[in-house]
Amino acid sequence: MATAAPAGTTAAAAYTSLKLHITPEKFYVEACDDGADDVLAIDRVSTEVTLTVKKDVPPSAVTRPIFGVLGTIRLVAGTYLIVITKKKKVGEIFGHAIWKATDFDILSYKKTMLHLTDIQLQDNKVFLSMLNHVLSVDGFYFSTTYDLTHTLQRLANTSPEFQEMSLLERADPRFVWNGHLLREFIAQPEIHRFATPVMHGFITMHSCSINGKCFDWLLVSRRSCFRAGVRYYVRGIDSEGHAANFVETEQIVHYKGSKASFVQTRGSIPFFWSQRPNLKYKPKPQISKSVNHMDGFQRHFDSQIISYGKQMIVNLVNQKGSEKPLEQTFAKMVNSMANGMVRYVAFDFHKECSRMRWDRLQILMDQLAEQQDEFSYFLVDSDGKIVTQQEGIFRSNCMDCLDRTNVIQSLLARRSLQAQLQRLGVLHVGQRIEEQADFEKIYKNAWADNANACAKQYAGTGALKTDYTRTGKRTQWGLIMDGWNSLIRYYKNNFSDGFRQDAIDLFLGNYSVDEVEPASPLHVKKDWKFLALPIIMVVAFSMCIICLLMAGDTWTETLAYVLFWGSASFGTFAIILYNGKDFVDAPKLVQKEKMD
């Protein structure tokens, strides 16, 4: 049996307690941990970052406590420093405090904006609002002593050299959302302890009891920052094989020193396809005809196999209608790749579970049971000996990789947890998790909360079908809430997602602001019809209603007016719908067509 490396601990933990001192010339970030004398000095004019000591901080500086340095970013007005100003404790993993960052501050290096033109001022304001938007989305987590970006299994299979690295050096770049903001810190190892790698996603942890035996149960979802974005503007993969909405979800059990972990992934269907918003409720997916799909497809699964081992694809999309070509292409490409490490199962979730036949999900669970037993899970005993390793992973997807995907992941995770708790001696032989009412409630609510977090981050609203995840059955109220969330998704996807996508691209460094750029991409001139047609439609519809309410001298006269204005209203609406792509809020900073 192999011995596991100490999970998560690092010789060079980040500083936990910090103070920010502000002077007109410099920002000073003081380490206040016991025995620390280090101070990070940031020159507000040259932007140079150096290490100094506490006695160099001028007494005249304005001082405030902060909880982490997120990094720096260049906007039109110059460089900005982003810091964490509020945090909330989520809990502890193996004695390490885990925090959620709940508030941030964006501080300008420049003391005045007088050097900017009115247009530059306006652009800078828009870029700042983009950064604030990204930071306002719930789900930024960090720890100064534990590596949140790696699974227990990855941490257990590391070298002594890895253990000596700083949190910033050793973090998995897929899950460090402030990696771009910390690019200048990475080049200077002596200041790594001031850098706080932050992941985006969801973390919940609970102290639970079954049969009087207490154990910790955790759920961690890590969103990838590669090909990150919003629902309809980021689908499929990029040329590097990074899938849209890729999330690694790990379920952890800690009992009497033993640790068990089960990992799953979700990610967009991994070839080149798009689904641009166009005012229709469900835009038709388009599979690209001009690229070699197999290159990106192969890269995606090569990297997945290196990270996780064998792959079991669980494709939950509809096998009819507009989703059918995606399912057929996916199945065909898996067959063409002919890789024994990759297997494929298609399950038409909506067809099988139509008319609330949710019991039919057991068909899929039975189909996957043998594979799940073969993959196993990661288990390390209280002596640090690795008992079992997870040999493969379930890679689930639907269209958004949100609602249907989360339901299936929660069922697979429960089956793994059943085996883990029995092996650890928490559950007696013959006992089932479903029979443990208190724990079952915690479990279902945690998975529903995970679904909501992932959905808000990608689609802009809470998840659908969470009534099933929370209660184990579909309810009428759940259907009503799904309808409401679907309406909000429709509005956001068509009328605010361009801004949301731009905000993510700016934050992650997919777009860099050029201070001397003559024409800002924010200023895109709209065609005349963009303004004229909606006005004509509203006026025509209003006139139609007025004619109905204020009848003319004869019914024929009233009918003529209603028909005229009704036709004008319907005609302009039809033109708007036909040119739908021109009327939605599209991203301006990065041309998504070129990335797809």
Side-chain angles (χ1 to χ4, degrees):
M1 279 187 198
T3 303
T9 54
T10 173
Y15 287 123
T16 302
S17 181
L18 299 169
K19 279 182 186 171
L20 176 65
H21 307 280
I22 302 172
T23 71
E25 297 77 30
K26 290 184 179 181
F27 294 123
Y28 295 93
V29 181
E30 178 193 347
C32 300
D33 293 18
D34 289 344
D37 192 43
D38 287 348
V39 173
L40 190 71
I42 304 170
D43 193 298
R44 296 177 67 175
V45 179
S46 69
T47 72
E48 187 185 7
V49 181
T50 54
L51 204 57
T52 183
V53 290
K54 292 182 182 180
K55 65 181 176 60
D56 292 336
V57 179
S60 60
V62 177
T63 302
R64 60 191 282 198
I66 59 169
F67 301 105
V69 176
L70 213 61
T72 62
I73 191 166
R74 289 185 74 82
L75 301 181
V76 181
T79 308
Y80 284 79
L81 175 70
I82 308 177
V83 295
I84 301 168
T85 56
K86 286 182 185 174
K87 65 179 182 179
K88 177 183 173 186
K89 191 170 183 180
V90 180
E92 292 191 359
I93 295 181
F94 318 130
H96 300 279
I98 309 301
W99 305 92
K100 178 192 275 191
T102 56
D103 206 0
F104 307 84
D105 208 352
I106 305 171
L107 305 163
S108 175
Y109 282 33
K110 293 280 197 295
K111 296 180 282 293
T112 174
M113 299 290 170
L114 294 174
H115 60 295
L116 301 179
T117 65
D118 287 346
I119 292 173
Q120 286 176 320
L121 268 173
Q122 187 58 37
D123 286 352
N124 200 67
K125 196 175 175 182
V126 172
F127 287 132
L128 280 171
S129 69
M130 287 178 182
L131 293 179
N132 279 310
H133 172 77
V134 173
L135 295 171
S136 71
V137 177
D138 195 33
F140 287 102
Y141 298 89
F142 69 97
S143 173
T144 56
T145 57
Y146 185 83
D147 189 347
L148 280 175
T149 65
H150 287 291
T151 63
L152 289 193
Q153 183 160 314
R154 286 202 295 271
L155 288 172
N157 292 289
T158 54
S159 64
E161 292 77 28
F162 181 89
Q163 297 296 320
E164 294 299 315
M165 290 180 182
S166 67
L167 283 175
L168 184 58
E169 282 176 292
R170 60 188 261 171
D172 189 329
R174 294 178 299 167
F175 306 122
V176 181
W177 269 65
N178 58 333
H180 170 68
L181 304 178
L182 290 172
R183 67 203 176 285
E184 292 178 8
F185 285 63
I186 291 168
Q188 296 176 256
E190 70 275 11
I191 63 171
H192 280 189
R193 294 191 69 183
F194 286 96
T196 310
V198 172
M199 62 156 270
H200 198 215
F202 177 75
I203 299 179
T204 188
M205 40 189 83
H206 297 273
S207 293
C208 309
S209 177
I210 294 177
N211 297 324
K213 295 168 183 175
C214 298
F215 61 96
D216 292 328
W217 180 78
L218 300 82
L219 192 60
V220 181
S221 279
R222 308 171 178 97
R223 288 189 76 210
S224 174
C225 58
F226 297 148
R227 195 157 177 74
V230 297
R231 188 186 183 201
Y232 281 143
Y233 283 116
V234 182
R235 295 294 210 193
I237 54 170
D238 60 19
S239 57
E240 298 298 312
H242 302 304
N245 197 26
F246 183 86
V247 182
E248 174 188 270
T249 299
E250 181 178 23
Q251 178 177 263
I252 298 170
V253 175
H254 185 210
Y255 175 64
K256 287 187 175 177
S258 294
K259 304 171 191 121
S261 152
F262 179 65
V263 179
Q264 303 178 71
T265 61
R266 67 177 79 184
S268 191
I269 296 173
F271 48 81
F272 298 96
W273 63 284
S274 59
Q275 196 179 13
R276 300 270 178 270
N278 58 6
L279 296 183
K280 291 177 182 170
Y281 178 70
K282 195 174 180 183
K284 189 177 179 182
Q286 303 287 334
I287 299 173
S288 176
K289 295 184 174 75
S290 60
V291 293
N292 181 348
H293 291 280
M294 190 51 80
D295 282 355
F297 190 81
Q298 189 89 46
R299 284 187 182 190
H300 175 75
F301 281 106
D302 284 349
S303 69
Q304 295 303 294
I305 290 165
I306 290 168
S307 296
Y308 305 107
K310 294 174 184 173
Q311 300 285 303
M312 184 73 210
I313 299 162
V314 184
N315 189 2
L316 304 168
V317 301
N318 299 345
Q319 292 173 30
K320 64 176 185 179
S322 64
E323 296 181 15
K324 183 179 179 180
L326 294 172
E327 192 282 317
Q328 290 176 324
T329 305
F330 201 173
K332 186 178 171 184
M333 291 188 71
V334 172
N335 287 331
S336 299
M337 188 169 63
N339 187 331
M341 297 284 281
V342 181
R343 298 181 200 172
Y344 178 88
V345 166
F347 182 81
D348 191 331
F349 188 105
H350 286 150
K351 179 188 170 189
E352 294 292 344
C353 301
S354 62
R355 296 192 292 279
M356 297 200 180
R357 294 179 301 172
W358 294 83
D359 56 294
R360 293 182 64 80
L361 290 172
Q362 193 57 44
I363 296 169
L364 178 61
M365 291 300 105
D366 293 342
Q367 206 175 344
L368 299 176
E370 187 181 338
Q371 191 73 67
Q372 187 168 10
D373 293 340
E374 182 193 321
F375 286 171
S376 189
Y377 47 82
F378 176 73
L379 178 64
V380 58
D381 67 19
S382 54
D383 296 325
K385 296 270 194 323
I386 296 173
V387 181
T388 62
Q389 303 241 31
Q390 188 172 334
E391 304 291 342
I393 206 158
F394 289 96
R395 184 206 187 277
S396 306
N397 74 269
C398 44
M399 289 296 282
D400 299 325
C401 306
L402 297 175
D403 315 316
R404 291 172 273 187
T405 296
N406 199 78
V407 169
I408 297 306
Q409 285 197 336
S410 70
L411 296 177
L412 287 166
R414 181 195 272 120
R415 192 173 182 277
S416 180
L417 187 61
Q418 173 81 32
Q420 291 167 5
L421 292 179
Q422 279 184 337
R423 187 162 189 167
L424 292 170
V426 174
L427 282 175
H428 302 321
V429 177
Q431 275 191 316
R432 300 196 57 76
I433 288 175
E434 292 91 327
E435 298 159 1
Q436 315 306 315
D438 291 343
F439 177 74
E440 181 72 351
K441 186 177 180 183
I442 291 169
Y443 182 89
K444 285 177 173 176
N445 280 320
W447 272 97
D449 292 341
N450 178 64
N452 278 333
C454 292
K456 282 174 184 170
Q457 291 158 10
Y458 186 55
T461 73
L464 312 183
K465 303 177 181 67
T466 51
D467 56 326
Y468 177 79
T469 314
R470 287 190 198 280
T471 64
K473 59 185 182 223
R474 207 70 166 98
T475 62
Q476 295 295 334
W477 177 247
L479 288 172
I480 292 167
M481 288 308 298
D482 282 1
W484 176 248
N485 275 329
S486 295
L487 279 174
I488 296 172
R489 276 188 194 180
Y490 173 81
Y491 175 81
K492 287 192 172 184
N493 296 161
N494 284 283
F495 303 114
S496 67
D497 270 4
F499 177 84
R500 288 176 63 221
Q501 183 63 52
D502 284 338
I504 292 166
D505 283 330
L506 177 68
F507 188 85
L508 295 177
N510 299 330
Y511 175 83
S512 296
V513 176
D514 188 346
E515 292 174 54
V516 294
E517 191 172 25
S520 166
L522 295 174
H523 303 288
V524 179
K525 284 192 176 180
K526 290 284 187 182
D527 191 65
W528 65 270
K529 66 186 176 191
F530 179 78
L531 291 171
L533 288 175
I535 293 169
I536 293 168
M537 187 184 76
V538 170
V539 169
F541 184 73
S542 302
M543 290 301 293
C544 186
I545 299 297
I546 289 167
C547 290
L548 281 170
L549 295 174
M550 301 173 67
D553 295 335
T554 63
W555 69 268
T556 50
E557 184 186 354
T558 302
L559 183 62
Y561 279 126
V562 169
L563 285 173
F564 173 77
W565 290 114
S567 300
S569 175
F570 181 79
T572 49
F573 176 72
I575 295 168
I576 289 170
L577 207 56
Y578 181 77
N579 296 281
K581 283 189 178 179
D582 297 334
F583 289 88
V584 298
D585 177 40
K588 299 182 179 78
L589 301 185
V590 177
Q591 293 298 312
K592 285 289 151 198
E593 306 81 71
K594 293 176 183 175
M595 293 178 69
D596 287 337

